[in-house]
Amino acid sequence: MPEMPEVEGLVRYLRARAEGLVIAKARLTAIAALKTYDPPLDSLEGSRVTGVERHGKFVDIATDGGAHLVFHLAKAGWLRWHETLPATVIKPGRSPIALRIGFDDGSGFDLTEAGTKKSLAVSVVRDPAEVPGIARLGPDPLAEGFDRATFGALLEGRRTQIKGLLRDQSVIAGIGNAYSDEILHAARMSPYALAAKLDEAEVDRLYDAMRTTLAEAIDAASGKPPADLKDAKRRGMAVHARAGEPCPVCGDTIRSVFFADTDFQYCPTCQTGGKILADRRLSRLLK
Ligand SMILES: [Zn+2]
């Protein structure tokens, strides 16, 4: 799943490639992916792209017609850029392509989604804040005003496990399962630590780890074409999706835990004082 750094990479790529181009066609092939009906999708045709922005994990393409094309790639969605858009007709329901956008210079992109569970979401709106997922977003952790005090205030009084809190888009925008694993590893902190119970030194460490991890990942993603972003993400991971491999910091074996709806990874020596965390799924099955 693309998270803030990969989405930022996509945004920068689209800004460089598509800004100033006119949308020549907008074709929806996965009907369920479009979440809005007014303005209609085809109202984008003939509009010039005036800007591309990121809101959390959402991409927002603004046009001079006043409409914004906003999309969220969800778990299995991706963007495929074409220097020359294929002329083939896409058959609805038989292709991973959910939406095709063509520009007046012959280039364009497809939004694709693998798998059977479809959750890629496209909106055409006059204001990005009309998208409920954007309206709900907490602050962006790399925004200028997001300082240590802002972060501390967000954690205050929350008796929530830090792993879940970092992923909660209404608290902090853009972080998902992968980067929360990386941030917690960099901060040498247990995923089960309660936000409200962190002391000042721990909040300092977590804040620094979050800013550094995300900034480094965005640097790695910047300037890469969309096709290379997934590999760049995988290469940058110290613990996420690396269960069984040695921790790059201490050499201990990286462990995996099933929690809530997903698997996550951590290093016992770096993060939990050597303690192996209980696998919630396993203990539930054994009851
Ligand atoms: Zn370690």
Side-chain angles (χ1 to χ4, degrees):
M1 174 198 246
E3 296 179 29
M4 177 232 263
E6 294 75 46
V7 176
E8 182 66 27
L10 285 178
V11 162
R12 291 181 185 187
Y13 187 84
L14 286 174
R15 204 177 278 152
R17 303 308 296 264
E19 226 173 70
L21 299 180
V22 171
I23 298 175
K25 68 173 176 187
R27 294 276 181 280
L28 183 73
T29 39
I31 306 301
L34 186 64
K35 306 302 177 193
T36 55
Y37 58 92
D38 178 37
L41 182 70
D42 59 15
S43 72
L44 293 170
E45 296 180 352
S47 291
R48 191 176 297 276
V49 174
T50 53
V52 187
E53 297 295 331
R54 178 181 61 78
H55 311 278
K57 300 181 214 170
F58 291 82
V59 176
D60 166 15
I61 300 178
T63 68
D64 64 358
H68 293 244
L69 173 65
V70 175
F71 56 87
H72 188 290
L73 294 168
K75 220 175 167 70
W78 198 244
L79 183 146
R80 194 187 299 154
W81 179 264
H82 300 281
E83 289 303 325
T84 306
L85 205 61
T88 45
V89 177
I90 312 158
K91 293 202 177 73
R94 297 200 191 159
S95 158
I97 299 170
L99 176 74
R100 171 164 283 178
I101 297 290
F103 296 111
D104 56 343
D105 70 346
S107 68
F109 65 83
D110 292 328
L111 296 186
T112 63
E113 188 173 32
T116 49
K117 191 177 171 292
K118 302 295 186 190
S119 37
L120 185 144
V122 176
S123 302
V124 181
V125 290
R126 290 178 185 87
D127 179 346
E130 290 169 32
V131 178
I134 292 182
R136 268 197 306 270
L137 286 176
D140 193 284
L142 293 184
E144 236 166 71
F146 195 96
D147 56 13
R148 163 63 177 79
T150 308
F151 184 55
L154 285 179
L155 302 181
E156 244 167 62
R158 289 190 197 259
R159 301 192 50 81
T160 317
Q161 283 160 336
I162 194 68
K163 169 76 184 174
L165 191 89
L166 288 174
R167 289 180 64 190
D168 184 339
Q169 301 303 297
S170 67
V171 178
I172 302 168
I175 301 171
N177 192 32
Y179 287 99
S180 57
D181 277 358
E182 294 301 304
I183 291 165
L184 289 166
H185 178 253
R188 305 189 304 282
M189 195 169 290
S190 169
Y192 291 165
L194 293 182
K197 290 203 164 179
L198 300 180
D199 64 28
E200 290 299 308
E202 287 170 324
V203 177
D204 285 347
R205 240 161 53 216
L206 190 58
Y207 176 76
D208 289 341
M210 181 176 70
R211 300 266 291 194
T212 308
T213 301
L214 294 174
E216 284 176 2
I218 284 179
D219 272 355
S222 281
K224 288 203 169 58
D228 294 348
L229 286 171
K230 284 186 199 174
D231 277 347
K233 177 184 178 190
R234 219 170 288 134
R235 269 197 307 276
M237 295 286 145
V239 289
H240 182 72
R242 295 197 183 278
E245 295 180 32
C247 167
V249 173
C250 73
D252 191 2
T253 303
I254 294 163
R255 303 279 179 158
S256 193
V257 169
F258 190 85
F259 179 75
D261 58 340
T262 186
D263 282 285
F264 70 80
Q265 286 78 41
Y266 69 102
C267 167
T269 297
C270 291
Q271 294 175 255
T272 58
K275 190 172 162 254
I276 307 294
L277 298 176
D279 187 317
R280 300 284 169 104
R281 174 179 50 181
L282 192 64
S283 49
R284 198 169 56 230
L285 290 174
L286 291 175
K287 261 180 203 162

